[in-house]
């Protein structure tokens, strides 16, 4: 089993408005709501200013790509834009989407079949990104080969037209650090570093802050870290280190 954890270059800035509006029509968005979204995207202009004093600047150009970041509609429009990407998945492959995080899982007990599936799905998503004017960031995309203690090591190098992605022993996925053995050791080690920093902050302000403020700091900087994803890593034998550090911040 292997996973490709994709990274897109400026994903929210590359959504083509014409393609987005056509996809909205395909999904049945019409009438006043369609006109409202079209109006929301239309009529935006930008220019580049290099120097106000010397009046070095470009002319105003209409924005035809990108969804406004920091808005409520931005992520929703982006999800509509990439909603048809999972349709590329075939038997033994699964495409997972969360905002601009795209991950591909490939499963096959046969090595030759596995390599074929990896090459096919990697080529398909590259073609899809090109067709939808999204830019694939090969340097920040990771390939993870999941292994067990008894499985034999073999190297797979997904590539598309000479563009290879690097193999890694761990990768970030929705705030969790996943390693190739799913032992969660890398994730727990990173948590230990964050928790030690948070505990140091609490010890520093403990003498000058009231108890209620310390409780707020604890839940913001320690409890939030320790509780995130605990259903996955919480039963690991070396997770006890995290809970011992947490007690120092109580």
């Amino acid at each position: 089993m292997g996973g490709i954890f994709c990274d897109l270059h400026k994903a929210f800035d590359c959504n083509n408005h014409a393609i987005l509006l056509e996809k909205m029509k395909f999904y049945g968005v019409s009438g006043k709501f369609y006109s409202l979204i079209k109006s929301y995207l239309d009529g935006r202009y930008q220019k580049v200013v290099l120097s106000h004093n010397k009046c070095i600047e470009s002319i105003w150009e209409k924005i035809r790509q990108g969804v406004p970041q920091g808005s409520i509609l931005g992520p929703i429009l982006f999800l509509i834009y990439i909603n048809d990407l999972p349709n590329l998945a075939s038997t033994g492959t699964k495409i997972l989407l969360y905002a601009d995080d795209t991950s591909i899982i490939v499963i096959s007990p046969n090595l030759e079949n596995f390599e074929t599936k990896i090459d096919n799905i990697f080529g398909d998503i590259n073609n899809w990104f090109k067709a939808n004017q999204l830019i694939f960031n090969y340097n920040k995309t990771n390939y993870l080969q999941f292994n067990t203690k008894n499985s034999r090591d073999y190297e797979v190098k997904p590539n598309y037209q000479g563009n290879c992605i690097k193999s890694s022993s761990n990768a970030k996925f929705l705030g969790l650090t996943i390693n190739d053995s799913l032992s969660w050791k890398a994730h727990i080690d990173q948590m230990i570093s964050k928790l030690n920093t948070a505990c140091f902050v609490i010890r520093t302000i403990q003498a000058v802050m009231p108890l209620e403020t310390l409780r707020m700091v604890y839940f913001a900087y320690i409890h939030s870290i320790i509780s995130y994803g605990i259903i996955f890593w919480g039963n690991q034998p070396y997770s006890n280190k995290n809970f011992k550090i947490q007690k120092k911040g109580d």
Side-chain angles (χ1 to χ4, degrees):
M1 183 171 72
I4 301 175
F5 298 86
C6 306
D7 184 87
L8 297 176
H9 180 70
K10 296 186 180 296
F12 279 72
D13 295 331
C14 296
N15 295 183
N16 182 278
H17 293 173
I19 295 176
L20 173 59
L21 291 170
E22 283 301 314
K23 290 190 177 189
M24 292 183 68
K25 284 183 181 177
F26 176 79
Y27 292 128
V29 178
S30 60
K32 291 183 178 180
F33 185 68
Y34 176 84
S35 300
L36 181 65
I37 298 299
K38 189 175 185 299
S39 174
Y40 179 73
L41 296 171
D42 201 16
R44 296 177 184 268
Y45 294 81
Q46 66 179 11
K47 69 176 179 179
V48 178
V49 178
L50 298 179
S51 173
H52 287 287
N53 296 331
K54 297 181 180 180
C55 296
I56 303 175
E57 58 185 43
S58 68
I59 62 172
W60 287 100
E61 289 285 349
K62 187 175 182 179
I63 299 175
R64 293 181 171 83
Q65 288 184 308
V67 293
Q69 297 189 43
S71 63
I72 295 174
L73 273 179
I76 296 174
L77 295 175
F78 182 80
L79 287 174
I80 294 172
Y81 196 83
I82 63 170
N83 188 63
D84 57 309
L85 178 57
N87 295 337
L88 299 176
S90 58
T91 304
T93 62
K94 189 170 185 178
I95 299 177
L96 308 173
L97 302 178
Y98 185 85
D100 59 337
D101 285 327
T102 303
S103 304
I104 305 158
I105 304 298
V106 180
I107 303 172
S108 178
N110 180 275
L111 175 58
E112 186 176 342
N113 182 256
F114 176 78
E115 291 179 337
T116 301
K117 284 184 177 181
I118 284 282
D119 288 338
N120 289 342
I121 192 64
F122 192 55
D124 288 343
I125 64 169
N126 271 277
N127 291 330
W128 188 93
F129 286 147
K130 279 188 175 181
N132 288 272
Q133 300 185 18
L134 294 174
I135 303 172
F136 202 102
N137 192 336
Y138 295 99
N139 293 327
K140 292 185 178 180
T141 296
N142 293 315
Y143 169 72
L144 232 64
Q145 178 66 51
F146 297 107
N147 297 306
T148 62
K149 292 180 180 179
N150 298 323
S151 64
R152 57 179 181 146
D153 264 342
Y154 52 88
E155 190 174 6
V156 178
K157 293 183 177 179
N159 72 88
Y160 174 77
Q161 296 180 352
N163 296 302
C164 296
I165 56 175
K166 60 184 179 181
S167 296
S168 179
S169 58
N170 58 71
K172 278 279 190 182
F173 179 66
L174 302 182
L176 297 172
T177 302
I178 302 174
N179 61 5
D180 52 11
S181 61
L182 293 180
S183 66
W184 300 103
K185 188 176 186 305
H187 180 73
I188 292 172
D189 287 342
Q190 290 187 8
M191 287 180 60
I192 289 173
S193 176
K194 292 179 181 179
L195 289 171
N196 280 326
T197 301
C199 286
F200 173 77
V201 170
I202 288 181
R203 286 196 298 270
T204 302
I205 66 173
Q206 189 172 11
V208 294
M209 292 290 180
L211 181 60
E212 191 60 33
T213 302
L214 292 173
R215 281 176 56 84
M216 290 175 61
V217 173
Y218 167 79
F219 280 104
Y221 292 99
I222 293 183
H223 186 268
S224 60
I225 295 173
I226 206 80
S227 60
Y228 185 74
I230 194 171
I231 190 173
F232 302 109
W233 59 263
N235 63 344
Q236 298 299 315
Y238 31 80
S239 63
N240 289 334
K241 294 180 181 178
N242 283 345
F243 299 114
K244 289 178 181 178
I245 296 173
Q246 180 201 21
K247 292 297 181 183
K248 296 178 182 178
D250 285 349

